[in-house]
């Protein structure tokens, strides 16, 4: 999802402020940490096959929700159409990006060991920013070369989540 949003922003010429990036990182760290704690709770309360199934179902549901959002109204999170994501708009973007990795965090929390517990939120935040940035650069280049509808990237991200969910079942 961050990659697709980054490409969309690059195509549209939308910029993200440094404060907004800070907000995105904080939301990502908090949401990923909560997801791991939820996963740890499930690990102790439910049998392993149930937690694996639950993670797959969450991926599929998230993919379906993203697919419907892409078809009905693609989310750019640039609410005021200023071509600039400010700290307030970054909150909704940060929540959307964090939901993307929430089910993976639950799955990570279900696993034994504490190394992933502390490493996962840091990696999620770092890779979300990396994919968002690389996506923006690619989006700017694609805009100059091809005309690819923005909805394509949203549908692609949603489809990947749905496929990942079915593969893990």
């Amino acid at each position: 999802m961050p990659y697709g949003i980054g490409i969309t922003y690059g195509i549209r010429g939308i910029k993200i402020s440094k404060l907004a990036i800070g907000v995105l990182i904080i939301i990502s760290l908090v949401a990923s940490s909560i997801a791991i704690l939820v996963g740890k709770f499930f690990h102790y309360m439910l049998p392993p096959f149930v937690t694996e199934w639950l993670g797959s179902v969450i991926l599929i549901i998230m993919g379906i929700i993203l697919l419907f959002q892409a078809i009905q109204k693609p989310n750019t999170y640039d609410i005021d159409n200023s071509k600039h994501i400010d700290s307030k708009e970054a909150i909704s973007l940060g929540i959307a990006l964090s939901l993307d990795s929430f089910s993976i965090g639950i799955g990570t929390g279900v696993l034994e060991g504490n190394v992933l517990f502390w490493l996962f939120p840091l990696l999620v935040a770092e890779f979300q920013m990396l994919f968002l940035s690389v996506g923006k650069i690619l989006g700017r280049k694609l805009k100059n070369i091809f005309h690819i509808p923005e909805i394509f990237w949203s549908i692609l991200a949603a489809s990947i989540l749905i496929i990942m969910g079915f593969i893990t079942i």
Side-chain angles (χ1 to χ4, degrees):
M1 186 168 163
Y3 192 62
I5 290 174
I7 289 173
T8 301
Y9 284 0
I11 290 171
R12 289 186 172 182
I14 296 174
K15 297 179 178 14
I16 303 174
S17 71
K18 292 189 186 305
L19 180 59
I21 289 173
V23 169
L24 291 174
I25 290 171
I26 290 169
I27 291 172
S28 181
L29 287 169
V30 170
S32 299
S33 299
I34 291 170
I36 288 182
L37 291 173
V38 169
K40 289 289 182 197
F41 172 77
F42 286 146
H43 172 72
Y44 294 115
M45 297 304 212
L46 301 172
F49 75 91
V50 173
T51 55
E52 290 172 12
W53 179 83
L54 182 62
S56 298
V57 169
I58 290 172
L59 278 176
I60 293 168
I61 291 171
M62 284 177 47
I64 291 170
I65 290 170
L66 289 175
L67 187 61
F68 280 117
Q69 284 178 345
I71 293 169
Q72 291 172 6
K73 180 184 170 197
N75 289 327
T76 63
Y77 304 100
D78 183 18
I79 298 165
D80 59 4
N81 293 318
S82 64
K83 300 282 186 189
H84 185 267
I85 301 296
D86 61 25
S87 57
K88 292 176 188 173
E89 293 167 329
I91 292 172
S92 60
L93 176 59
I95 291 169
L97 291 175
S98 295
L99 287 175
D100 189 39
S101 61
F102 197 78
S103 61
I104 298 168
I106 290 173
T108 303
V110 170
L111 298 173
E112 291 288 336
N114 290 329
V115 174
L116 290 175
F117 179 80
W118 298 109
L119 186 59
F120 180 77
L122 297 173
L123 290 174
V124 167
E126 183 65 32
F127 279 103
Q128 281 184 350
M129 293 305 104
L130 175 69
F131 289 144
L132 194 60
S133 299
V134 170
K136 276 183 61 181
I137 293 166
L138 182 61
R140 280 184 287 209
K141 291 185 188 255
L142 287 173
K143 179 181 180 182
N144 296 330
I145 299 171
F146 302 105
H147 179 67
I148 299 172
E150 295 169 15
I151 194 171
F152 170 80
W153 302 109
S154 298
I155 291 173
L156 179 64
S159 300
I160 289 171
L161 282 176
I162 293 169
I163 291 167
M164 285 174 47
F166 279 113
I167 288 173
T168 56
I169 287 179

